[in-house]
Amino acid sequence: MRIPFNDGWAVRTPQGPFAAFDAAAVEPTPVTLPHDALRDAQRTPDAPAAGANAYYPPGNHTYLKTFDVPAAWEGRVVRLEFGGAMRHAQVFINEEFAGNWADGYARFFVDATPFLRYGEPNKVRVETRTGQDSRWYSGAGLHRGVFCHVDAPAHVLPDGVRVTTLRLENLPAGAGDAPPRATVEVATELTNAGLTTASTTLTTVLVDPHGVEVDRDATPVTLPPGRPQRVRQRFVVTDPALWGPESPQLYTADTTLTPASGGEGATRTTTFGIRTVTADPGLGLRINGEPVLLRGACIHHDNGPLGGAAIPRAEERRIELLRAAGFNAVRAAHNPLSAAMLDACDRLGMLVMDEAFDMWVRFKTPYDHAMEFPQWWRADLASMVAKDLNHPSVIMYSLGNEIAEVGMPHGAVLAREMAEHVRALDPTRLVTNGVNAALTVLDELAEQAKNTPGGLNELMAGAASDPGDGMNALGSGENVTRRTAESSAALDVLGLNYAEGRYALDAEKFPHHVLVGSETFPQRIGDLWPMVLEHPHVIGDFTWTGWDYLGEVGIGATAYADDPDATPALEREYPFLTAWCGDLDITGWRRPVSFYREIVFGLRTEPSIAVLRPEHHGREIAMASPWSWSDSVSSWTWPGFEGRPVVVEVYADADEVALLCNGAEVARGPVGEVRPMQATLETTYTPGTLTAVAYRGGEEVGRTELVTAGEAVLTASADRTTLRADGTDLAYVALEWRDADGILATAADAEVTVEVSGAGVLAGMCSANPKTAERFDADTWRTFDGRALAVVRPTGPGPITVTVRTGSAEPLTLDLEATDD
């Protein structure tokens, strides 16, 4: 029995053993999990982690919960499952130490059985500590869900059911005389915590995506005390509905352990997909034997206005919107994804590279996981694999991100040991590593410069004009080839961060290597994707980043030379909040680069238009990092700039583009001078309709338009009006200035206030503004580029009323309903 354990918690600052003598003891604040305890802390310019952590302070928090333990639980095994506790978690039950875990992203279990008091209330306390331990905003506290497992002494272990596709035969359908078939193995781990041997029967039933039973098996199992048993059952599924990114078909395995003496056994349902994953340098990545190229997005774990809280609907919505934007894969950057997000990836057909670490034994921040890594890496990897085993969306495990040690002999030894550890746990998936080739040889930079004509200046000349070229120059050196050869050989797929210069090089030097662009600059996708198409040993590209995120603030923002606050540093000054480098902003709105990428991928035939903000026309750019896109908006509404010059970008798979304003041609130019599939044109701003017409060989191949918004009013719309009242659901309310024709008025910004009453609360609010001191727990935000977002979370079943106010306008009201169904 697995029981949600997310209600009835409270959080406060930690108190030591002498707190009873402190009259100023802190009163706990009630919360519902998942919860980010750091999100509502006050951001300050002097925060120790500065912009890396979005100017949030360190966070030490205590979570408390009182829960009833029925007398009927006596003699049973009770465990608590923590989806993730940020960070250095210690778990106490009735003030007795019950367990701990260092990494804030790992799922772990605590055996509560020895500490429980039956037939009375019990208390659980969880201590967490964070601070200067991450290169981005990580949040704090119990940011992923908690469950309580209650099992009979003889039971299936948590994570004890593993379903594996052993073989697919006669594919595609009609390839042979026999119908397609899959051989599926269900391996179940059982244990007996009792004092006497138990005689049981393990029954497994396979159910197809339509709810129809396709096979079953029953196996007698003898369980001696304290001797876990693994039982394997094999099934043949005829005409299987295969799981793939374009058709994510899901089966279930219902596993029941029944006492031989009679009585009912507990049934556990495991969702799985029937699919195989292979990769080789000649045929690339194949899923079920079919070639797949990874159109990938790196993503951090935060959910914008919710902070680090992994509420299942928030996780699902991100995957929905990334999928709609043309991505078919996500890379967990740089920590394992939540089980809730993997569930969404399974349902929606999003492929996953799940990543374990951002560091091994070398610190990247003063107090990060490097200090615990030698003692914990095996358990951390085992935790990730156990979580991922039955998720068909997970096709690759990544051992880490930009690990400098992979260029050292003993770092290569560690890489091999880690890879083999993962393979022993799960031999069915690919193993990779996100290698920053330049980072592995930074210690040789001085020597490399000495051997380069022109010295260091010549070596880094590319970095001055294009950091991507500079990193490629470093990463393509012979020293990288030599120093990373051993660690790379331990992998099934070598992930390369910002080192596409090695694609052709490695095809020659390492013909057995399979590569993936595990992290790439968004500006370069027009050059990178043709390289993926050209090289069969390169299986895809993952951009940094698919979704804007908290921390590493302003690395994608444009700084202008005449701005007194401009800084050449990558991380920008307070109150910058987000990195401002995602294809989608933190509200889930697609930015211009997203439409450009969709065209490059070949998924969009019509052109797309973006307009550089005219208030910056003619200003010198002091810094535009390689993670930035142009300072542009897909809008033709610029009041106050009538008759003034504007620069227009048109993204198109064409060789020429013409601009028409109100039907008259105002500009024409070639595609590809700035970057592939982009034309940059200048005109003057005249309200009305701006049309871009794309031509290839003189023939029109597509057109699109932007229309100036008329008088705008505030609108409010929810992505769903009926919600689950089980703590996993949310309603996202878009607050937008639109005219009578529904056109977004990007310049009509004002403060908007949201009130939630009834069976719900305002869980968070935000705009996409990357530089703001506004708080996510506030009920008033100023819209940015015409938009803001409010998130509503049910507190139980019943009606929810959302009231939206701005200025003197009549309030807007939305009626939602939370149900137990």
Side-chain angles (χ1 to χ4, degrees):
M1 180 169 57
R2 185 173 185 253
I3 307 166
F5 209 62
N6 295 318
D7 294 330
W9 289 86
V11 65
R12 60 164 167 78
T13 55
Q15 295 177 323
F18 303 109
F21 300 102
D22 185 0
V26 178
E27 191 69 22
T29 300
V31 296
T32 300
L33 307 183
H35 174 257
D36 179 0
L38 191 61
R39 186 203 68 166
D40 299 338
Q42 184 61 49
R43 300 169 62 224
T44 60
D46 59 351
N53 200 36
Y55 295 100
Y56 277 89
N60 302 323
H61 302 91
T62 300
Y63 282 80
L64 304 166
K65 178 180 172 71
T66 299
F67 63 104
D68 290 328
V69 177
W73 287 9
E74 190 165 7
R76 303 178 78 82
V77 179
V78 181
R79 299 180 181 89
L80 297 182
E81 173 192 344
F82 293 88
M86 189 65 66
R87 187 173 175 271
H88 290 115
Q90 289 186 306
V91 181
F92 296 84
I93 297 174
N94 294 323
E95 290 307 315
E96 298 279 7
F97 176 74
N100 69 308
W101 207 278
D103 186 19
Y105 297 101
R107 189 184 59 151
F108 64 98
F109 294 84
V110 170
D111 186 358
T113 314
F115 314 105
L116 297 179
R117 301 167 184 164
Y118 299 96
E120 61 179 278
N122 286 244
K123 294 182 179 180
V124 58
R125 171 167 61 91
V126 182
E127 301 287 346
T128 62
R129 303 289 187 269
T130 63
Q132 292 182 270
D133 52 15
S134 177
R135 296 186 298 113
W136 56 87
Y137 177 85
S138 61
L142 300 182
H143 64 116
R144 295 177 178 174
V146 178
F147 295 87
C148 180
H149 295 249
V150 182
D151 294 298
H155 61 276
V156 178
L157 285 166
D159 295 328
V161 179
R162 169 181 176 160
V163 188
T164 304
T165 303
L166 298 181
R167 287 188 303 278
L168 294 179
E169 299 173 290
N170 303 322
L171 294 177
D177 295 334
R181 50 188 265 156
T183 303
V184 174
E185 179 182 86
V186 181
T188 305
E189 292 193 65
L190 310 171
T191 193
N192 181 3
L195 298 178
T196 59
T197 297
S199 297
T200 65
T201 299
L202 179 70
T203 303
T204 300
V205 179
L206 297 193
V207 179
D208 75 8
H210 304 290
V212 177
E213 179 180 324
V214 295
D215 205 355
R216 68 167 55 215
D217 191 16
T219 305
V221 184
T222 300
L223 289 173
R227 292 171 60 184
Q229 303 290 305
R230 178 175 293 159
V231 179
R232 299 181 187 272
Q233 298 168 311
R234 289 193 177 183
F235 304 87
V236 174
V237 181
T238 304
D239 287 323
L242 301 182
W243 190 97
E246 304 307 323
S247 182
Q249 301 290 332
L250 294 172
Y251 286 72
T252 58
D254 296 329
T255 305
T256 306
L257 188 66
T258 307
S261 58
E264 293 187 3
T267 297
R268 179 173 302 177
T269 298
T270 303
T271 301
F272 69 97
I274 297 176
R275 64 106 179 92
T276 59
V277 178
T278 60
D280 69 62
L283 297 174
L285 176 69
R286 287 174 293 168
I287 298 177
N288 305 323
E290 296 294 324
V292 175
L293 290 177
L294 300 175
R295 306 188 301 271
C298 298
I299 56 172
H300 270 317
H301 80 290
D302 75 76
N303 277 305
L306 303 175
I311 299 170
R313 172 55 190 158
E315 305 282 72
E316 176 185 62
R317 176 177 178 265
R318 277 209 288 165
I319 297 303
E320 286 176 350
L321 295 178
L322 287 165
R323 199 76 170 91
F327 293 108
N328 69 357
V330 292
R331 175 194 179 205
H334 304 287
N335 45 260
L337 294 181
S338 71
M341 181 165 277
L342 294 182
D343 287 340
C345 292
D346 291 345
R347 292 191 300 270
L348 298 169
M350 184 69 87
L351 303 170
V352 176
M353 178 196 296
D354 212 9
E355 192 157 85
F357 307 109
D358 185 47
M359 76 295 295
W360 291 353
V361 297
R362 293 189 180 186
F363 287 88
K364 292 184 177 179
T365 56
Y367 304 109
D368 63 32
H369 196 49
M371 71 173 67
E372 302 100 8
F373 183 86
Q375 292 78 29
W376 280 93
W377 68 261
R378 291 181 181 275
D380 288 335
L381 288 174
S383 169
M384 180 178 72
V385 171
K387 170 180 62 68
D388 293 0
L389 271 172
N390 294 312
H391 288 284
S393 56
V394 179
I395 61 170
M396 273 189 281
Y397 298 120
S398 173
L399 304 177
N401 169 65
E402 299 187 344
I403 306 298
E405 297 96 297
V406 300
M408 303 292 288
H410 286 276
V413 170
L414 180 56
R416 186 181 299 110
E417 289 177 345
M418 293 171 67
E420 291 307 311
H421 181 56
V422 168
R423 292 186 183 109
L425 296 167
D426 181 4
T428 69
R429 289 179 170 89
L430 305 169
V431 178
T432 186
N433 208 351
V435 176
N436 186 317
L439 184 65
T440 64
V441 294
L442 283 183
D443 57 341
E444 291 187 16
L445 186 58
E447 184 67 21
Q448 191 175 354
K450 186 170 64 176
N451 296 327
T452 301
L456 183 62
N457 289 337
E458 178 66 23
L459 180 66
M460 298 303 294
S465 59
D466 187 329
D469 288 344
M471 293 184 74
N472 265 312
L474 293 178
S476 299
E478 184 280 331
N479 52 352
V480 171
T481 302
R482 169 174 43 83
R483 290 183 57 172
T484 61
E486 183 179 359
S487 62
S488 299
L491 307 172
D492 302 309
V493 177
L494 172 59
L496 291 174
N497 290 9
Y498 312 111
E500 64 271 15
R502 297 204 66 91
Y503 291 177
L505 183 66
D506 278 24
E508 176 184 346
K509 292 185 175 294
F510 303 103
H512 298 99
H513 279 191
V514 177
L515 308 181
V516 65
S518 44
E519 190 168 318
T520 63
F521 294 124
Q523 296 180 357
R524 300 170 73 91
I525 188 61
D527 294 306
L528 295 173
W529 194 246
M531 295 173 70
V532 173
L533 297 176
E534 177 187 356
H535 296 292
H537 69 295
V538 181
I539 63 174
D541 178 277
F542 286 83
T543 188
W544 193 268
T545 177
W547 194 288
D548 197 15
Y549 58 95
L550 308 181
E552 292 190 312
V553 299
I555 67 167
T558 301
Y560 293 94
D562 57 357
D563 183 348
D565 294 327
T567 170
L570 283 179
E571 288 180 0
R572 301 292 299 283
E573 70 283 351
Y574 178 86
F576 260 96
L577 173 65
T578 74
W580 197 236
C581 67
D583 275 32
L584 282 70
D585 66 34
I586 63 168
T587 73
W589 188 254
R590 293 179 68 179
R591 300 175 65 208
V593 61
S594 175
F595 297 100
Y596 174 75
R597 186 182 310 280
E598 192 178 18
I599 291 169
V600 171
F601 282 157
L603 302 176
R604 177 188 178 96
T605 56
E606 69 177 28
S608 181
I609 306 173
V611 180
L612 272 64
R613 299 179 190 271
E615 63 265 33
H616 301 312
H617 187 273
R619 297 177 70 186
E620 180 185 352
I621 294 176
M623 186 195 74
S625 84
W627 293 281
S628 68
W629 193 250
S630 61
D631 192 4
S632 60
V633 184
S634 295
S635 173
W636 195 238
T637 303
W638 303 102
F641 292 91
E642 292 80 1
R644 294 172 62 177
V646 293
V647 174
V648 178
E649 296 178 345
V650 180
Y651 316 130
D653 184 5
D655 53 41
E656 188 180 38
V657 165
L659 276 183
L660 285 67
C661 188
N662 299 324
E665 184 172 316
V666 294
R668 180 181 286 260
V671 173
E673 288 188 338
V674 175
R675 60 171 58 93
M677 298 191 187
Q678 175 178 320
T680 302
L681 307 168
E682 184 164 320
T683 184
T684 56
Y685 173 60
T686 302
T689 300
L690 182 71
T691 305
V693 184
Y695 297 93
R696 187 184 302 115
E699 298 292 328
E700 181 178 331
V701 293
R703 65 171 57 207
T704 192
E705 66 182 25
L706 295 176
V707 179
T708 303
E711 184 176 353
V713 297
L714 184 67
T715 64
S717 59
D719 67 339
R720 56 183 61 199
T721 56
T722 301
L723 297 88
R724 300 182 303 275
D726 59 2
T728 67
D729 211 354
L730 301 165
Y732 282 81
V733 180
L735 309 168
E736 299 173 328
W737 294 97
R738 294 189 178 271
D739 70 6
D741 294 321
I743 299 170
L744 183 67
T746 53
D749 289 322
E751 287 191 343
V752 178
T753 299
V754 175
E755 175 187 332
V756 179
S757 59
V761 294
L762 181 63
M765 191 172 175
C766 72
S767 74
N769 190 350
K771 186 179 182 181
T772 178
E774 295 163 296
R775 295 171 57 96
F776 294 132
D777 60 344
D779 61 5
T780 299
W781 273 69
R782 183 176 179 83
T783 57
F784 176 77
D785 287 342
R787 302 183 68 258
L789 184 73
V791 187
V792 177
R793 188 177 192 183
T795 55
I800 303 170
T801 301
V802 181
T803 304
V804 182
R805 295 183 173 87
T806 184
S808 59
E810 284 293 313
L812 302 173
T813 300
L814 295 177
D815 293 320
L816 313 178
E817 183 76 21
T819 71
D820 284 328
D821 296 338

